[in-house]
Amino acid sequence: MDLALTDDQVAILDAIDTLTRPYAGASLHEAGFSLPDAQLDRDLAEGGFLDIGFDPDLGAVSAALVVERLARLPQTVEAAASALIRPLLGDDLPRPLCLVEEGRTTRPVRFLREGATVLIVGPSSVSAFTATAAQVRAEPEALYGYPMATLLDVPTDRTPHAIPADEVLTRWRIALAAEAAGLLAAALDSTVAHVTDRQQFGRPLATFQALRHRLAEAQVRANGVRWLALKAAATLGPGDAALAALHAQESARATVYDFHQFFGAMGVTLEHPLHLWTYRLKALIGDLRGRGGQALAAAEALWG
Amino acid sequence: MDFAWTEQETAFRDRLRALLADTLPDDWERFSQHGPASPALTKYAESFCGTLAEQGLLIPHWPVELGGQGLDPWHQTILAEEMWIAGEPRGGQYMNVNWIGPTLIRYGSPDQQARYLPPIAEGKALWCQGFSEPGSGSDLASLRTRAERDGDTYRVNGQKIWTSYAGLADTCFLVCRTSDDRKRGISILLVPMDTPGITVRQIPSLIGEGDIHEVFFDDVTVPVTARLGDEGQAWEIIGYSLTNERLGIPRYALARAALDRAVAVLKEQGEFDGEAVKIEAAHAAALTEAARMASYAIVDRRAKGEAIGAESSSARFATVMAERRVCEFIVEYLPEALADAHPYLKMHHQRGIVAGIAAGAAEIQLNIIATDVLKLPREPR
Ligand SMILES: Cc1cc2nc3c(=O)[nH]c(=O)nc-3n(C[C@H](O)[C@H](O)[C@H](O)COP(=O)(O)OP(=O)(O)OC[C@H]3O[C@@H](n4cnc5c(N)ncnc54)[C@H](O)[C@@H]3O)c2cc1C
């Protein structure tokens, strides 16, 4: 085993940091609930960062690292599905790539808009279509940190993809866990900074053990989610993927509450970026039937 | 022990439900997504509270001589539950009738009572509470907004933050410093919001338009007669107010109603099927009912005229646990509720997520439970 980043991976992450640095000081004024950024999306796509999973030498682990790193930004771009699932489908599919579970098509869909590729992932088949304006209702008022839309109609004439649905589900879970790992890390960093800075009762909030332990636990969770996501990306095993997604969703549930709690009222303003990470985590919690869905999949894969 | 409602209480609840069904507009659920402090809801609340007042249902728990009917805390609880479950059509006025009014009744001068109680009783007033400051949240006693005595007036300088309703309120229940003595140096002023020198800025928030604000006081002149109680009496008065406010919002009731609604939708969609979803829903229900009983135990003691202490913190935290679990259940199993599909559930989510923060942070409640209920020795300083 060698758990250090390869030279290539270090170079890729450095390049992402360089590329995204100008975006770090985004103005949140008038940003609303989510902060999509078309320019950043173009920069990343042109730089080939979302195609890394196509390269057999770099593979899914590098793609997961990219997803994790990008999720730390206040801006959001559709990276997770593109980086981890598109390699199964082909690079000619228009982005964004939107994942929809068959039988759950009334759920709001991240990044869905006219022209997006919608992948319907069934228990036994996988098919895609390009969304038309009439099939999409944007949800600008949705309380999630992604641009969201509802699918009004699922056409019957979709392009079938001859790949096993299980493989897509496995990668979906890995993508979810990798993204959650980045979101958890960013939300945790932000909360740590706040409680270190903020004083009440004549001392920094960070000196209250009631907060320290819960934040330390959040560190343990974020770290665990990251490692499970990367390992699952390496093995592409359904059990590893289900455990990673389960731990991601459970950790999101457990920590989002605390992060907001420790911010006090500051955490409910749109003028602070916290919600951009936490309200993305909230959106990920409901994917693929939530923790119950992941737990059943994990138990099935582990013990049959 | 008797866990049943009396006939009179049941009839009171039925009457409220009938009135809500008759009065609220057809698109109310969509409309009530606007926070209770939004301009739209504030405007609607004026007419709704007028209707309540006409029917004797705005201040039924106030003393008879002040226009109420002297109904006991159980009726007050039923009223609060039904209004909060309905999405609080009284808007910010719930605060007036729950604790501003009762506080003025207990501590106000005859002039203050004559000026402020009738508009509250008629449903025509809107107050805001100026407690928190940028540097003083949980540590309220560190507040710095200053009221300098100058003959018959005070000159107020400073800043409040997170002030609900400030954008539209007519009067501020302002807590400010009149001397450097930490808790004994704080006084309350009742300040008309149109007094020169007051500036209000709305803070964009996760929980809806118009909800929270910054309020700046620059050389605001207030007559000494606007002081509530004595100089330095604020800490005692706030304690009285907050006890009322903490029990004032029966959040467990809306949390349970939202949970029931979510389960009904899931059933309709054929998604209340697996064990996982049922187990999660049941856990959430257990917490709402535990919070309900913890609150009722306090209502019972109030109804019997007994003093309430730290147990109210325990009931409050039980409610925070319930709100959290219900919000989490809905996000996980019915995520479209936070988009446009189910306005009632979205309304609940936005109000539910602040349960552990507004009106005093949850960790402070836990400290109170640890120190005053469990009698644990304090942390060394
Ligand atoms: C929707 C909303 C409406 C509000 N409306 C009003 C209003 O109308 N008027 C008004 O005056 N205020 C209002 N507030 C402010 C509210 O009273 C404060 O948010 C609350 O008192 C907490 O203060 P804070 O936000 O500064 O958090 P902080 O005090 O900074 O606390 C942040 C975190 O640190 C924790 N913490 C602090 N001290 C300790 C300790 N000793 N031990 C352990 N943990 C600790 C807290 O529990 C919390 O988790 C409102 C807040 C909200 C969210």
Side-chain angles (χ1 to χ4, degrees):
Chain A
M1 224 180 270
D2 176 2
L3 299 183
L5 297 177
T6 64
D7 290 345
D8 282 346
Q9 288 165 344
V10 171
I12 291 167
L13 294 180
D14 282 350
I16 288 186
D17 288 348
T18 307
L19 186 154
T20 57
R21 198 160 293 129
Y23 293 89
S27 161
L28 297 182
H29 219 69
E30 308 290 318
F33 235 91
S34 63
L35 193 59
D37 195 310
Q39 182 61 45
L40 175 61
D41 190 278
R42 272 194 299 278
D43 289 353
L44 289 166
E46 279 164 19
F49 293 103
L50 305 177
D51 296 334
I52 278 167
F54 286 94
D55 180 336
D57 292 336
L58 294 168
V61 174
S62 303
L65 285 167
V66 167
V67 169
E68 193 265 359
R69 185 59 59 99
L70 291 175
R72 294 171 183 238
L73 294 172
Q75 292 85 356
T76 186
V77 292
E78 189 284 292
S82 279
L84 279 153
I85 295 178
R86 238 172 9 123
L88 289 179
L89 305 168
D91 59 2
D92 50 347
L93 284 180
R95 293 183 54 250
L97 178 60
C98 302
L99 306 177
V100 175
E101 190 188 0
E102 198 177 310
R104 291 287 196 271
T105 54
T106 56
R107 301 286 188 256
V109 181
R110 302 191 282 282
F111 302 103
L112 177 61
R113 59 167 190 251
E114 183 186 1
T117 301
V118 181
L119 196 67
I120 305 284
V121 187
S124 54
S125 69
V126 180
S127 57
F129 66 96
T130 304
T132 64
Q135 289 162 338
V136 169
R137 183 185 66 219
E139 301 278 4
E141 303 291 322
L143 304 181
Y144 289 117
Y146 298 103
M148 286 280 193
T150 302
L151 256 187
L152 299 176
D153 168 49
V154 180
T156 43
D157 58 330
R158 307 191 292 265
T159 312
H161 280 274
I163 42 170
D166 282 351
E167 245 178 77
V168 177
L169 287 173
T170 292
R171 282 178 173 254
W172 184 339
R173 293 192 168 104
I174 296 167
L176 183 155
E179 182 158 9
L183 294 169
L184 287 165
L188 177 60
D189 284 352
S190 173
T191 309
V192 163
H194 178 77
V195 299
T196 304
D197 210 38
R198 168 96 175 146
Q199 303 234 353
Q200 285 292 275
F201 303 99
R203 54 197 258 202
L205 290 178
T207 61
F208 291 111
Q209 204 170 67
L211 275 52
R212 295 166 72 83
H213 279 189
R214 279 153 71 188
L215 286 171
E217 210 173 311
Q219 187 281 332
V220 176
R221 286 190 170 280
N223 186 43
V225 171
R226 180 170 179 275
W227 282 117
L228 289 187
L230 294 176
K231 183 192 173 203
T235 65
L236 296 174
D240 284 340
L243 288 180
L246 173 59
H247 199 45
Q249 289 179 327
E250 169 61 11
S251 298
R253 189 199 61 78
T255 58
V256 160
Y257 170 85
D258 275 0
F259 294 149
H260 276 278
Q261 192 56 30
F262 299 161
F263 264 89
M266 188 63 83
V268 308
T269 68
L270 289 172
E271 292 175 340
H272 192 284
L274 178 68
H275 69 281
L276 294 170
W277 300 300
T278 53
Y279 277 68
R280 286 175 197 149
L281 286 165
K282 284 195 195 194
L284 300 184
I285 288 175
D287 266 23
L288 296 171
R289 299 165 200 234
R291 292 166 303 152
Q294 284 19 279
L296 292 177
E300 179 64 28
L302 266 56
W303 303 295
Chain B
M1 273 191 199
D2 178 0
F3 288 81
W5 297 105
T6 65
E7 261 176 48
Q8 197 202 356
E9 286 158 357
T10 305
F12 185 66
R13 194 186 289 279
D14 289 346
R15 202 180 141 209
L16 289 166
R17 288 193 175 168
L19 176 128
L20 286 162
D22 286 349
T23 313
L24 296 180
D26 291 341
D27 62 346
W28 167 252
E29 286 197 356
R30 187 157 294 280
F31 185 77
S32 69
Q33 284 184 99
H34 305 289
S38 64
L41 221 156
T42 302
K43 191 158 168 28
Y44 177 73
E46 271 176 36
S47 90
F48 181 80
C49 290
T51 306
L52 281 185
E54 279 162 25
Q55 309 261 333
L57 291 170
L58 187 61
I59 49 160
H61 52 292
W62 285 22
V64 177
E65 55 286 9
L66 290 166
Q69 296 148 52
L71 291 186
D72 69 13
W74 287 113
H75 287 82
Q76 188 181 349
T77 300
I78 292 168
L79 175 65
E81 284 184 357
E82 291 305 316
M83 293 300 147
W84 193 250
I85 291 174
E88 196 47 275
R90 297 174 300 180
Q93 291 201 41
Y94 83 88
M95 235 167 61
N96 301 356
V97 296
N98 280 355
W99 71 262
I100 303 249
T103 305
L104 296 176
I105 291 170
R106 171 121 168 211
Y107 293 99
S109 68
D111 279 352
Q112 288 166 345
Q113 294 188 354
R115 175 170 178 185
Y116 291 121
L117 292 180
I120 292 180
E122 289 162 25
K124 293 193 176 128
L126 185 64
W127 286 67
C128 62
Q129 44 173 349
F131 290 54
S132 309
E133 298 183 2
S136 308
S138 298
D139 185 11
L140 182 62
S142 68
L143 67 88
R144 296 194 333 211
T145 294
R146 193 125 209 143
E148 285 310 336
R149 183 76 182 252
D150 182 5
D152 288 343
T153 62
Y154 287 104
R155 205 170 51 251
V156 182
N157 281 289
Q159 184 198 340
K160 296 291 170 180
I161 195 168
W162 318 126
T163 325
S164 302
Y165 318 112
L168 297 165
D170 41 63
T171 319
C172 181
F173 190 97
L174 179 68
V175 183
C176 45
R177 182 157 295 292
T178 42
S179 90
D180 289 333
D181 194 342
R182 207 171 125 88
K183 288 185 182 170
R184 279 187 298 254
I186 307 176
S187 306
I188 292 165
L189 299 177
L190 310 176
V191 183
M193 287 298 284
D194 59 4
T195 312
I198 298 180
T199 317
V200 177
R201 182 186 80 93
Q202 195 184 124
I203 302 173
S205 85
L206 301 179
I207 53 172
E209 174 207 7
D211 222 280
I212 46 181
H213 306 80
E214 287 180 292
V215 186
F216 301 89
F217 296 83
D218 293 307
D219 279 334
V220 174
T221 304
V222 181
V224 168
T225 52
R227 196 185 62 229
L228 183 69
D230 293 331
E231 231 176 57
Q233 203 186 356
W235 205 251
E236 174 199 329
I237 300 177
I238 293 167
Y240 176 79
S241 308
L242 285 185
T243 320
N244 278 311
E245 192 188 14
R246 277 178 193 148
L247 277 182
I249 300 186
R251 291 176 175 275
Y252 55 80
L254 175 60
R256 178 58 197 272
L259 176 63
D260 288 345
R261 176 77 67 94
V263 169
V265 173
L266 288 168
K267 278 185 149 174
E268 216 176 276
Q269 296 179 179
E271 293 174 18
F272 198 64
D273 43 8
E275 268 188 22
V277 62
K278 289 182 185 173
I279 290 172
E280 282 306 314
H283 274 303
L287 289 176
T288 64
E289 298 321 293
R292 186 190 304 274
M293 286 317 304
S295 299
Y296 286 177
I298 288 169
V299 176
D300 188 47
R301 293 185 45 193
R302 275 180 77 184
K304 291 170 178 148
E306 293 168 21
I308 312 296
E311 324 82 84
S312 73
S313 291
S314 183
R316 167 103 194 282
F317 195 80
T319 295
V320 173
M321 290 167 77
E323 282 282 38
R324 174 177 178 182
R325 197 77 177 230
V326 172
C327 285
E328 288 171 353
F329 174 78
I330 292 171
V331 163
E332 186 165 20
Y333 287 98
L334 197 63
E336 60 265 49
L338 270 60
D340 205 34
H342 306 289
Y344 186 73
L345 299 180
K346 189 171 164 192
M347 178 274 286
H348 165 259
H349 191 84
Q350 281 174 295
R351 297 179 193 190
I353 53 174
V354 299
I357 302 169
E363 286 68 30
I364 303 301
Q365 310 300 323
L366 291 176
N367 283 344
I368 294 171
I369 297 167
T371 308
D372 297 334
V373 179
L374 296 176
K375 313 275 184 221
L376 296 178
R378 284 176 187 273
E379 223 183 310
R381 296 226 171 187

